[in-house]
């Protein structure tokens, strides 16, 4: 996959993996290889392309952002994927994180609230040849129950509390990774053990856009 002309960005990407990910302690070979492969510059607006591999988030329109490469890789690593899993992602955004997941997982189910972002992400991912992704426009708080249970779940927008439907749709023994909170947010890994009990581990402070509810009023 990820087969379009790379415009000479492969070396920049390799340097990003070494300088931003390996240097900060990320080690999972599947994640590092995925980060080496996915052409991040296709997922940012044309005027930001030159900065696509820099060490920070970038705007993608509609007041949303594509996460910093390190955070994308960290969240993926914390899911503990070994290949072939069925993964639910909430907050498709640019589709970049979706692509990283699709490099490793068997199938990715991705949900985005804003139709314009969802459609643009789908165009990019299809042009790059990813054929193991299902797309849904809707409120990710509800998850995507038709395809549950999932082997891993990730949200890239922050709710104030853990959405109960996501917990329900996670298979036992599996992990959910998401930002939680309002101004002060933490990246949290939630593991559902074989008896259905949850354990939470706080990974690092983060700043994500809020997980909006489809019933919220714009005012
Ligand atoms: N993972 C993305 C970053 C997304 S930013 C990337 O790699 O580019 C967070 C995204 O979550 C935004 O696109 C926002 O529109 C979306 N979002 C916010 N609330 C949501 C909700 N309730 N359901 C689904 N998506 C939501």
């Amino acid at each position: 996959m990820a087969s379009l002309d790379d415009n000479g960005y492969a070396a920049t990407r390799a340097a990003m993996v070494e300088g931003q990910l390996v240097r900060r302690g990320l080690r999972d070979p599947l994640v590092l290889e995925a980060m080496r492969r996915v052409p991040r510059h296709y997922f940012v607006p044309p005027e930001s392309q030159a900065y696509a591999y820099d060490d920070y988030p970038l705007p993608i329109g509609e007041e949303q952002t594509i996460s910093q490469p390190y955070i994308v890789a960290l969240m993926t690593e914390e899911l503990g994927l070994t290949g072939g899993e069925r993964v639910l992602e909430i907050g498709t955004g640019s589709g970049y994180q979706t692509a990283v997941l699709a490099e490793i997982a068997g199938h990715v189910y991705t949900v985005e609230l804003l139709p314009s972002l969802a459609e643009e992400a789908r165009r990019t991912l299809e042009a790059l040849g990813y054929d193991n992704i299902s797309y849904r426009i809707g409120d990710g708080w509800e998850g995507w129950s038709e395809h549950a249970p999932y082997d891993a779940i990730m949200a890239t927008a922050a709710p104030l509390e853990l959405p109960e439907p996501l917990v329900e749709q996670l298979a036992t023994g599996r992990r959910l990774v998401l930002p939680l909170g309002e101004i002060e947010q933490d990246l949290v890994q939630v593991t559902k053990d074989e008896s259905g009990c949850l354990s939470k581990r706080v990974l690092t402070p983060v700043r994500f856009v809020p997980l909006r509810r489809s019933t919220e009023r714009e005012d």
Side-chain angles (χ1 to χ4, degrees):
M1 287 176 266
S3 56
L4 292 187
D5 175 22
D6 208 25
N7 296 332
Y9 277 111
T12 314
R13 211 154 45 238
M16 177 269 281
V17 169
E18 284 305 314
Q20 299 173 35
L21 313 184
V22 175
R23 192 175 58 81
R24 291 195 179 105
L26 299 187
R27 290 286 175 266
D28 185 332
L30 288 176
V31 176
L32 297 178
E33 184 53 27
M35 296 293 292
R36 259 183 222 110
R37 288 173 57 86
V38 179
R40 183 171 162 95
H41 57 283
Y42 282 110
F43 295 89
V44 303
E47 64 275 16
S48 303
Q49 264 206 10
Y51 314 109
Y53 296 96
D54 290 356
D55 196 11
Y56 43 74
L58 288 167
I60 54 170
E62 304 262 9
E63 295 173 27
Q64 306 302 321
T65 54
I66 176 172
S67 303
Q68 180 190 11
Y70 171 69
I71 294 293
V72 171
L74 173 67
M75 291 179 78
T76 310
E77 185 162 301
E78 294 295 343
L79 286 179
L81 303 176
T82 55
E85 290 90 348
R86 299 168 67 256
V87 179
L88 174 65
E89 181 199 33
I90 306 304
T92 316
S94 69
Y96 175 65
Q97 172 77 73
T98 321
V100 172
L101 291 170
E103 288 280 343
I104 303 171
H107 200 93
V108 181
Y109 298 86
T110 187
V111 183
E112 168 60 49
L113 188 62
L114 302 177
S116 61
L117 290 180
E119 284 152 19
E120 177 74 20
R122 182 179 191 143
R123 268 195 296 277
T124 308
L125 289 161
E126 287 182 350
L128 287 168
Y130 291 99
D131 58 3
N132 58 340
I133 302 171
S134 300
Y135 305 83
R136 178 182 176 133
I137 296 171
D139 183 354
W141 177 280
E142 306 295 343
W144 193 345
S145 59
E146 286 90 331
H147 304 288
Y150 298 98
D151 301 319
I153 301 181
M154 178 189 292
T156 59
L160 299 181
E161 59 194 66
L162 201 51
E164 194 51 43
L166 299 187
V167 172
E168 277 163 20
Q169 292 170 28
L170 182 65
T172 56
R174 303 295 187 156
R175 296 177 183 172
L176 159 58
V177 173
L178 82 173
L180 274 182
E182 195 168 12
I183 310 291
E184 312 244 315
Q185 297 171 5
D186 282 319
L187 191 61
V188 175
Q189 181 198 59
V190 180
T191 304
K192 192 187 218 180
D193 75 13
E194 296 300 336
S195 56
C197 289
L198 302 183
S199 59
K200 284 189 202 172
R201 192 160 73 89
V202 172
L203 304 173
T204 183
V206 283
R207 176 163 278 198
F208 276 81
V209 298
L211 187 93
R212 296 161 60 188
R213 305 302 314 279
S214 53
T215 49
E216 268 176 23
R217 304 275 296 279
E218 297 273 348
D219 49 25

